[in-house]
Amino acid sequence: MGKLLQSEDQRDAKLLFEAYSTTLSETRLKSLVSDMLGLGLEDIGDSARSFANRFILANYPNETTIKANFINKVLLPLSETTVSIFELPIGKSRVDICKVNGHSAAYEIKTDLDSFYRLESQLADYFDVFETVYVITSEKRWDELPDYVPAECGIYSYRQRKDGTYAFSCRRKATKATKLDAQKQLLTMSKKDICETFDLPSSGQSKGSVAEQCLQLYSSQQINRAFKNYLKRRYRSNWHHLKQNSALLYEIDYEWFYRSELDPEIVY
């Protein structure tokens, strides 16, 4: 899509987001916010991190901010058995976020800052591996998705309220896939994980040969069940850490804490 016109707040929020780091001290962050936005310390308030989080979420609706709000509104309220995953590599793509409970789902975010250039190949990868696939895009773009987006693909739209928060609407529910690529699911896992999941010896074998054994020994339905169980087992700790601490975290830091699993009190 063409270059979007940006307000001064949007430009400032983009620059602040690019300069921001979860590990910055409060003192350093307060100085950064003051210098970048031309604000006095009294304008920033007691917490520069809280100010930066609010300012970025309200003025720079990029992938990180949309993802965090989608997690808050849609994924966090789900059952305790649900596990969500950030940035999982699938084929030649990397899915923005996915979840696994009784079934698996992938969510690809396309904000107004993004083009649909890679969407076709991304969806092809996700439909091979996940039982349901969704695109998340803005309220003004959801009905402008390219023709190659299949009817089986679900759609969420988002809109930003006047207070800077986001609301999400499910515009189309995804259709559950009946045929998945078992080999692609296996190759998403490491050789060690494949061997442990399917109780196979790993010594002297390549990842490809181990995956081939699984394809010969197990049905695609059995591999799909094992793949979902593997994802829940592999990422359960990360997701539960984020879920249990979400009330203490700033949204722009969600992915950092998901990966590090550090206590917010240590960082903040």
Side-chain angles (χ1 to χ4, degrees), residues 22 238 241 253-263 267:
T22 305
N238 302 77
H241 175 75
D253 294 329
Y254 273 8
E255 190 162 350
W256 192 92
F257 279 99
Y258 174 90
R259 297 191 185 283
S260 70
E261 295 188 76
L262 286 176
D263 187 330
V267 181

Side-chain angles (χ1 to χ4, degrees), residues 17 52 69-70 87 101 140 180 185 194 237-238 240 249:
F17 176 79
N69 277 275
F70 186 77
E87 301 292 330
N101 43 34
K140 62 185 178 183
L180 298 172
Q185 289 179 321
I194 297 172
S237 176
N238 302 77
H240 283 182
L249 302 177

Side-chain angles (χ1 to χ4, degrees), residues 31-94:
S31 176
L32 179 69
V33 172
S34 177
D35 292 344
M36 293 190 72
L37 304 184
L39 298 174
L41 298 183
E42 68 279 2
D43 298 317
I44 298 172
D46 294 335
S47 172
R49 198 177 302 276
S50 176
F51 180 93
N53 187 72
R54 291 196 311 272
F55 188 74
I56 291 170
L57 262 64
N59 296 293
Y60 186 45
N62 65 350
E63 181 188 308
T64 295
T65 60
I66 302 305
K67 185 185 297 184
N69 277 275
F70 186 77
I71 288 169
N72 286 342
K73 300 296 194 303
V74 179
L75 298 183
L76 282 179
L78 297 176
S79 71
E80 286 297 319
T81 59
T82 299
V83 172
S84 297
I85 304 158
F86 287 78
E87 301 292 330
L88 185 70
I90 301 293
K92 295 182 179 180
S93 306
R94 186 178 293 269

